């Protein structure tokens, strides 16, 4: 059976929208390479505690590692934008240690020769217990050997006093390597004296200075210490995607959605806000459904929280008032037609997503409005991260519901400001 003209046109519209989504995904992935972090050091120096403090999961959650060699185990944590590698062999006898060192160096060199940056081992955190104040000559040899082929940061774990003698010793032996003194977990001393965690921010900052640029966004998403870093990362991504000169942008996605039939065009343009939300959640390290279609279903409350402040309870009459107040000249012809077609409809749960928002979604793409809504969502995500310490235990649907509640409050606060931005454009 031959397709009708409408069916062919509809297929072309969907194909164009899918192409824009695919380009956005490819562009995102190029700058969201998961960093490969090698953890090395003796057993008992606090590597697991460090991982939990920085990334928010413990060793048990990493699951069974994949042996890269007898001396190197790879852990890929579900939904975490980071890969961890653990070295083995320091606990063995001298002969076996040397075999382990050669295997690790061989793997580092092999991966360094790959044309794919995702294969490289990007940084090593070599952990030494400051409490034990012991660093064997074999360890020094290991560290020097590894640092010839990859960046190494010395992490002095279990640091809870101000004695700097051990630090100075390490500086003399390994003068060119950065050193971070950290306490990953609160330490309780005699007399109920509590030493709070410290030094983790320094480790994160030094790591970000060292690892390749293409891995920084993913590392920022993975770490749980610096929320401000996550905010800056999200804002930078949004600015890149709003750049009108970029071949891959939200504007292009919005233009692809403009071809949707009247009424459905609002749904099409809603994809811009939903995709933008998905981007923000990803770079801020909040669990999100990778399947965009499934995400859009989970994100319906979020979209409603964005639209709802602009739609009065009177339903269709509010739309007419908006058109009268701002004038159809402020909207595109297509938006005016949408307003006219929907004017008689009641705004309820059934058709809330088809309600125009004074040209914000139903109108043509508006950079300032989109940026304002994006910043509101970034701040909503930041509030969530600061409050929900155990959010990893929530389902993606539960997380979306919490974000939607926070976004609704912010959108009500920003309503007048956003309306003015829409009218001025």
């Amino acid at each position: 059976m031959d397709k009708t003209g409408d069916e062919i046109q509809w297929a072309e519209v969907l194909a164009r929208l899918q192409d824009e989504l695919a380009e956005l995904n490819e562009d995102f992935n190029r700058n969201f390479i998961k960093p490969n972090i090698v953890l090395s050091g003796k057993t008992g120096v606090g590597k697991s505690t460090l991982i939990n403090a920085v990334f928010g999961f413990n060793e048990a959650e990493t699951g069974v590692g994949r042996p890269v060699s007898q001396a190197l185990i790879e852990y890929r944590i579900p939904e975490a934008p980071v890969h961890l590698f653990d070295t083995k062999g320091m606990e063995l006898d001298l002969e076996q240690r040397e075999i382990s060192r050669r295997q690790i160096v061989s793997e580092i060199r092999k991966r360094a020769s790959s044309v794919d940056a995702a294969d490289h081992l990007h940084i090593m955190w070599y952990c030494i217990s400051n409490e034990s104040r012991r660093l064997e000559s074999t360890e020094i040899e290991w560290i020097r050997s590894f640092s010839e082929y990859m960046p190494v940061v010395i992490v002095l774990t279990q640091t809870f006093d101000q004695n700097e003698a051990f630090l100075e010793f390490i500086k003399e032996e390994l003068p060119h390597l950065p050193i971070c003194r950290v306490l990953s977990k609160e330490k309780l001393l005699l007399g109920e004296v509590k030493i709070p965690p410290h030094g983790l921010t320094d480790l994160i900052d030094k790591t970000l200075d060292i690892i390749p640029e293409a891995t920084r966004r993913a590392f920022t998403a993975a770490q749980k210490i610096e929320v401000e870093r996550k905010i800056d990362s999200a804002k930078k991504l949004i600015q890149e995607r709003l750049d009108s000169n970029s071949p891959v942008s939200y504007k292009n996605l919005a233009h692809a959605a403009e071809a949707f039939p009247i009424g459905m065009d609002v749904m099409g343009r809603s994809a811009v806000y939903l995709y933008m939300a998905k981007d923000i959640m990803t770079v801020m390290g909040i669990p999100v459904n990778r399947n965009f279609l499934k995400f859009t279903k989970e994100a319906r409350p979020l979209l409603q929280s964005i639209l709802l402040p602009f739609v009065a309870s009177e339903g269709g009459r509010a739309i007419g008032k908006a058109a009268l107040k701002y004038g159809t000249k402020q909207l595109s012809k297509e938006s005016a037609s949408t307003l006219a077609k929907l004017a008689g409809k009641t705004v309820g749960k059934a058709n809330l997503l088809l309600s125009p928002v004074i040209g914000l979604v139903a109108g043509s793409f508006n950079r300032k409005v989109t940026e304002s809504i994006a910043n509101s969502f970034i701040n909503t995500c930041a509030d969530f991260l600061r409050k929900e310490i155990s959010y990893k235990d929530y389902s993606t649907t539960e997380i979306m519901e919490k974000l939607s509640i926070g976004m609704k409050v912010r959108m009500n606060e920003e309503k007048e400001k956003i309306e003015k931005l829409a009218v001025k454009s």
Side-chain angles (χ1 to χ4, degrees):
M1 184 177 178
D2 294 336
K3 291 184 178 180
T4 65
D6 288 343
E7 288 174 329
I8 293 172
Q9 183 181 15
W10 181 240
E12 291 174 351
V13 168
L14 285 176
R16 182 184 172 191
L17 190 66
Q18 288 171 344
D19 288 344
E20 291 296 338
L21 287 170
E23 286 190 35
L24 284 169
N25 281 331
E26 289 175 11
D27 179 72
F28 183 91
N29 290 335
R30 277 193 293 270
N31 294 289
F32 200 78
I33 295 175
K34 294 183 178 183
N36 295 320
I37 300 176
V38 181
L39 289 152
S40 192
K42 287 184 175 181
T43 301
V45 296
K47 288 183 286 184
S48 296
T49 307
L50 178 68
I51 293 170
N52 191 37
V54 176
F55 300 117
F57 51 80
N58 56 47
E59 192 172 26
E61 291 176 299
T62 61
V64 178
R66 182 182 72 85
V68 176
S69 68
Q70 289 183 345
L72 198 62
I73 309 297
E74 178 182 6
Y75 295 93
R76 296 199 172 201
I77 300 87
E79 306 305 324
V82 62
H83 295 155
L84 300 178
F85 294 75
D86 192 13
T87 62
K88 305 293 183 182
M90 187 49 71
E91 299 78 16
L92 305 174
D93 60 42
L94 290 178
E95 183 178 350
Q96 290 301 314
R97 283 187 189 183
E98 178 58 21
I99 293 173
S100 295
R101 186 194 66 80
R102 290 177 182 174
Q103 288 180 347
I104 296 168
V105 169
S106 175
E107 185 65 23
I108 294 171
R109 294 178 64 180
K110 183 182 76 173
R111 285 172 170 267
S113 65
S114 173
V115 295
D116 188 351
D119 292 335
H120 300 175
L121 296 175
H122 302 115
I123 193 168
M124 174 183 283
W125 291 348
Y126 195 97
C127 299
I128 304 167
S129 171
N130 188 70
E131 184 178 20
S132 71
R133 290 179 170 82
R134 290 186 60 191
L135 182 62
E136 295 181 22
S137 57
T138 305
E139 285 189 270
I140 296 173
E141 292 174 10
W142 272 44
I143 296 169
R144 287 173 178 166
S145 181
F146 298 151
S147 64
E148 291 180 15
Y149 304 102
M150 70 180 298
V152 177
V153 174
I154 303 297
V155 185
L156 280 181
T157 61
Q158 303 166 341
T159 302
F160 51 85
D161 61 36
Q162 295 182 340
N163 189 320
E164 296 193 355
F166 189 49
L167 173 66
E168 294 303 320
F169 167 72
I170 295 174
K171 285 182 177 180
E172 289 178 9
E173 294 292 334
L174 303 162
H176 303 299
L177 298 184
I179 303 172
C180 294
R181 295 196 292 177
V182 307
L183 182 63
S184 303
K185 187 177 180 181
E186 181 182 80
K187 179 77 173 180
L188 181 62
L189 302 179
L190 288 174
E192 298 298 316
V193 177
K194 295 180 179 178
I195 309 296
H198 58 80
L200 296 170
T201 296
D202 183 38
L203 176 59
I204 288 168
D205 292 344
K206 280 186 170 63
T207 299
L208 284 168
D209 287 341
I210 292 171
I211 59 177
E213 185 174 357
T215 66
R216 291 173 189 166
R217 189 168 278 166
F219 178 80
T220 300
Q223 60 85 26
K224 307 298 182 186
I225 305 298
E226 293 194 59
V227 174
E228 294 303 315
R229 285 273 191 181
K230 294 173 180 285
I231 293 173
D232 291 342
S233 178
K235 287 185 175 181
K236 183 178 179 181
L237 174 64
I238 293 303
Q239 291 303 315
E240 291 172 5
R241 289 290 174 85
L242 290 174
D243 184 358
S244 59
N245 297 321
S246 173
V248 182
S249 67
Y250 295 136
K251 185 176 182 179
N252 291 346
L253 179 61
H255 286 172
E258 284 178 357
F260 275 61
I262 297 299
M264 287 301 293
D265 60 336
V266 182
M267 290 291 287
R269 286 189 190 84
S270 296
V272 176
Y273 292 103
L274 292 177
Y275 198 91
M276 183 173 69
K278 184 173 180 289
D279 275 350
I280 291 170
M281 290 176 67
T282 303
V283 299
M284 294 187 76
I286 299 175
V288 59
N289 201 317
R290 295 179 182 179
N291 184 299
F292 185 64
L293 291 178
K294 291 181 180 179
F295 172 76
T296 57
K297 293 180 181 178
E298 294 175 350
R300 177 178 285 256
L302 176 63
L303 189 58
Q304 290 178 349
S305 70
I306 294 173
L307 306 187
L308 196 58
F310 303 95
V311 182
S313 59
E314 291 92 336
R317 286 179 291 170
I319 299 171
K321 289 178 182 179
L324 182 63
K325 180 178 179 181
Y326 297 113
T328 53
K329 290 183 180 180
Q330 301 292 346
L331 308 176
S332 67
K333 289 182 180 180
E334 188 180 61
S335 302
S337 298
T338 305
L339 285 171
K341 185 168 184 178
L342 297 175
K345 293 187 177 181
T346 300
V347 179
K349 292 183 179 178
N351 60 0
L352 179 62
L353 297 184
L354 293 178
S355 302
V357 187
I358 315 175
L360 303 186
V361 177
S364 58
F365 179 77
N366 186 318
R367 181 192 171 111
K368 290 184 178 180
V369 168
T370 306
E371 183 177 18
S372 183
I373 292 174
N375 285 332
S376 291
F377 189 60
I378 289 171
N379 290 328
T380 298
C381 289
D383 289 342
F384 172 80
L385 288 170
R386 293 187 183 104
K387 294 176 183 177
E388 302 294 344
I389 304 301
S390 60
Y391 68 84
K392 63 181 180 178
D393 298 326
Y394 298 148
S395 68
T396 53
T397 300
E398 289 172 330
I399 290 174
M400 193 57 64
E401 288 174 352
K402 288 179 176 290
L403 291 176
S404 299
I405 292 170
M407 188 61 173
K408 183 178 179 180
V409 173
R410 285 195 175 270
M411 288 301 295
N412 276 310
E413 293 172 349
E414 299 287 319
K415 179 178 180 292
E416 290 187 10
K417 171 189 166 184
I418 293 174
E419 282 181 336
K420 288 178 181 178
L421 287 174
V423 174
K424 287 180 181 179
S425 301

